[in-house]
Amino acid sequence: MSAEAKTEGKDELTKKKLIDIIGEFYGQLQSERVPYLNLPTRTKANIEYNDASEVWVYGDRESVRSAKTVRGAYQLLKTSYVVDFLNAQLDQAKSSTLRELYYISENWDLAKFREQQESDRLIEDLEIVSELQRENFHIRPEEDGASVLGPIKIKEQTRRGTKIIHCQDDVGEGGYQIPNNVDNLEFLEHDAKMIIAIETGGMKDRLIENGFDEKFNTIIVHLKGQPARSTRRLLKRMNEELKIPVVVFTDGDPWSYRIFASVAYGAIKSAHLSEYMATPAAQFIGIRPSDIVNYELPTDKLSDQDIRALHSMLSDPRFESEFWQSEINLQLELNKKSEQQSLAKYGLDYVTDTYLPERLSEMGVI
Amino acid sequence: MSAEAKTEGKDELTKKKLIDIIGEFYGQLQSERVPYLNLPTRTKANIEYNDASEVWVYGDRESVRSAKTVRGAYQLLKTSYVVDFLNAQLDQAKSSTLRELYYISENWDLAKFREQQESDRLIEDLEIVSELQRENFHIRPEEDGASVLGPIKIKEQTRRGTKIIHCQDDVGEGGYQIPNNVDNLEFLEHDAKMIIAIETGGMKDRLIENGFDEKFNTIIVHLKGQPARSTRRLLKRMNEELKIPVVVFTDGDPWSYRIFASVAYGAIKSAHLSEYMATPAAQFIGIRPSDIVNYELPTDKLSDQDIRALHSMLSDPRFESEFWQSEINLQLELNKKSEQQSLAKYGLDYVTDTYLPERLSEMGVI
């Protein structure tokens, strides 16, 4: 089956699932019940570990959205309008951003969104109920711009036909730009032994300049801070389809550990997508609080937010392992944080000649 | 002369200019003068319009940095250390980020930087004194990731040889990623009638999805908010070398007008780079305050910072034209701002079918 046909088939399925949601309301009304929608409660208390998929997903707690209240009635009305819009969009093979959707609602009279947060949230609800992802609805993210460089040839299905791109030979120094919908990609031959996902652009460029991708047959993926969905989805697909390890290299502060967690376990606010986007096999390289001591890294003092974030991580199920508990406690003790680029204290090549090879062999990756 | 040779020649010239700065100190010491360095004062009061280059540059006000004071002596010491580091970096054909430079200084004893701001500033001073750009020093930005999509074939000189990339045919939907040093690019054949620089990723993707680049033979450049130096340099080079107009499309708020100004006139804090990075011929499409009225766009209320920013723009020499003065005053009157994507109120194709064609023909671009 051609890639185009595959996409079309996907769109048909998506439309059916969306319309079924509205069909439910219809059925409820016909059987003289007040329309309602069941959704899982989205709190830290309601995410649990799924042994099968090895990721954190929502538990059994549900909240009901019913037309019995005015607020609930409005939400169901807006849901119907959004499904109608998405259905038309899929028919026309168009796509739109979350922000455009918000503005589109300007003309929906009573169903107009008061703020974008509201429409964003409704799209998430539709993802949960339909068990699809917003990419299936053709809803695009605002930004992405993360990039890949490494020994792999990718086949991308674009609106302008199929492109085949080798992520070392056919790209400039900026690398291959990750598209919004990674499910339009197919991985052709590759020569990679691992994938390294890096938080900062400076460190990504350092590895590229030092030829780390060639020396260690590594696919270098730039996370650009908290990674976009497309970046996380790409990491998951590469890890599972190419069967090569994914390691994550970030700064040594709580926000960076959360970046790792969102790659490995998924995010709490989008636990419904964990099985689609999380890479449970991903391993954390560092910067680790213990590195601050062992490598005598330049540091900054923890801010009050840092300390609060570290404390809340101690009770985050995603960080309950012995490794994380001891590292987090050590960091609170040290009251310090370090950035990846602080390794430059030992020169520009230290990270690629010493730190990473040492750590990766410790971890048994190389 | 081959591109490699050209690069090498540039590096030699850069080293010479940097070492000459230290040579000055040496000469001053030999002739028994206390070492000093003259720098232009970098304030709004000291930027003036240069008729020849049509950009805003520093005026004649100078401040002297002399070893007569302890603070001045330290600055000259740090300057010497940085020049030494840059010289070695150029010898080894390496590059580094501003942040790495800051961390490298960890081992410079008395010349160690207290904060990155200090080392960033020193690099800017070296740019001014040497009349070069930090790209010549091989100092990389932290981030870039802006992209290009359009009917142009680019030849990029990379560390891994020469790549030839057509920015429509040889790239995925993410487009061609702009490298850190745009002066390693050469423009081969192209079929473009204009270049449109766009602030938000959502709007960039909208134009690409709607095939604006093909329909109007347009090179679409993503600014990603306040554009990186590489993006501004690319716009300037394309405008001058391809001799096609550059238009800038942003949100309708003071921060976005400053994005336009930094593309067209350069930024105050880097006026020494204006002639290198500014595109005086760039024209502003909108969103204009008058568009808020004429197109009845969805709006937000101006924040206090917005209002302060608009007031300070009224006295900014870059906004002294009648057009800007009246638009800024209108916006203060309306007390409203609009985003580019608010045009979606009229549907997803309105911006490419109506708004842009109307405005571009008004402006005489198409």
Side-chain angles (χ1 to χ4, degrees), chain A residues 85 89 93-97 99-104 106-107 116 140-147 149 156-160 163 165 168-180 184 199-214 222 224-225 298-300 338-339 341-349, chain B residues 85 89 93-97 99-104 106-107 116 140-147 149 156-160 163 165 168-180 184 199-214 222 224-225 298-300 338-339 341-349:
Chain A
F85 166 75
Q89 168 165 285
K94 303 277 290 181
S95 65
S96 54
T97 64
R99 195 180 296 284
E100 282 174 322
L101 171 62
Y102 163 67
Y103 284 121
I104 288 271
E106 277 284 318
N107 306 311
Q116 196 191 326
R140 275 189 271 106
E142 211 44 52
E143 286 289 348
D144 75 316
S147 59
L149 193 127
E156 179 180 343
Q157 189 58 43
T158 78
R159 276 184 220 86
R160 297 148 188 221
K163 314 280 181 183
I165 297 165
Q168 278 167 332
D169 305 343
D170 305 335
V171 298
E173 294 213 321
Y176 167 73
Q177 182 113 6
I178 301 172
N180 294 324
N184 294 334
E199 177 178 358
T200 68
M203 185 53 79
K204 175 210 66 174
D205 290 335
R206 166 60 44 219
L207 266 66
I208 293 173
E209 171 167 320
N210 293 5
F212 191 86
D213 54 315
E214 291 173 329
H222 184 199
K224 278 186 148 279
T299 57
D300 293 310
S338 279
E339 294 178 324
Q341 292 189 64
S342 66
L343 288 160
K345 170 187 177 183
Y346 300 110
L348 297 177
D349 299 341
Chain B
F85 167 75
Q89 169 165 283
K94 303 278 290 183
S95 65
S96 54
T97 64
R99 195 181 296 284
E100 283 175 319
L101 171 62
Y102 163 67
Y103 283 122
I104 287 270
E106 276 284 319
N107 305 311
Q116 196 191 327
R140 275 190 269 107
E142 211 44 53
E143 287 289 350
D144 74 317
S147 59
L149 193 127
E156 179 180 343
Q157 190 57 45
T158 78
R159 278 184 220 87
R160 296 148 189 221
K163 315 279 182 182
I165 297 164
Q168 277 167 334
D169 305 344
D170 304 335
V171 298
E173 294 213 322
Y176 167 73
Q177 180 113 7
I178 301 172
N180 294 323
N184 294 334
E199 176 178 359
T200 68
M203 185 53 77
K204 175 210 66 173
D205 290 335
R206 167 60 46 221
L207 266 66
I208 293 173
E209 171 166 321
N210 293 5
F212 191 86
D213 53 316
E214 291 173 328
H222 184 198
K224 278 184 149 278
T299 56
D300 293 311
S338 279
E339 295 179 323
Q341 292 188 64
S342 66
L343 289 159
K345 170 186 177 182
Y346 301 109
L348 297 177
D349 299 341

Side-chain angles (χ1 to χ4, degrees), chain A residues 5-153:
Chain A
K6 233 188 278 164
T7 324
E8 261 186 33
K10 242 194 276 158
D11 291 353
E12 287 310 314
L13 178 68
T14 304
K15 282 194 288 184
K16 189 186 169 313
K17 282 192 169 184
L18 285 171
I19 289 162
D20 285 351
I21 296 168
I22 310 303
E24 287 261 330
F25 300 159
Y26 193 81
Q28 290 158 352
L29 286 163
Q30 276 196 317
S31 52
E32 288 167 356
R33 269 174 304 142
V34 178
Y36 67 92
L37 196 61
N38 283 334
L39 287 161
T41 317
R42 295 159 70 184
T43 61
K44 200 159 85 179
N46 193 37
I47 71 169
E48 53 187 44
Y49 190 72
N50 177 311
D51 295 308
S53 57
E54 299 177 66
V55 294
W56 294 88
V57 297
Y58 288 121
D60 301 332
R61 302 199 202 166
E62 288 203 325
S63 52
V64 179
R65 195 157 296 170
S66 160
K68 277 183 186 139
T69 69
V70 177
R71 193 165 161 284
Y74 273 122
Q75 283 180 312
L76 297 189
L77 178 69
K78 289 170 183 179
T79 307
S80 315
Y81 267 91
V82 169
V83 167
D84 182 53
F85 166 75
L86 295 175
N87 189 51
Q89 168 165 285
L90 286 158
D91 274 336
Q92 298 153 30
K94 303 277 290 181
S95 65
S96 54
T97 64
L98 289 165
R99 195 180 296 284
E100 282 174 322
L101 171 62
Y102 163 67
Y103 284 121
I104 288 271
S105 81
E106 277 284 318
N107 306 311
W108 291 354
D109 193 9
L110 290 173
K112 177 177 185 294
F113 293 109
R114 284 181 316 282
E115 48 181 14
Q116 196 191 326
Q117 220 181 353
E118 208 189 341
S119 44
D120 291 356
R121 177 64 185 247
L122 202 151
I123 289 294
E124 286 174 13
D125 292 344
L126 287 176
E127 287 181 306
I128 296 171
V129 180
S130 67
E131 289 172 322
L132 292 169
Q133 295 79 40
R134 71 171 186 228
E135 288 78 4
N136 300 114
F137 308 153
H138 292 195
I139 291 289
R140 275 189 271 106
E142 211 44 52
E143 286 289 348
D144 75 316
S147 59
V148 174
L149 193 127
I152 181 169
K153 190 182 270 182

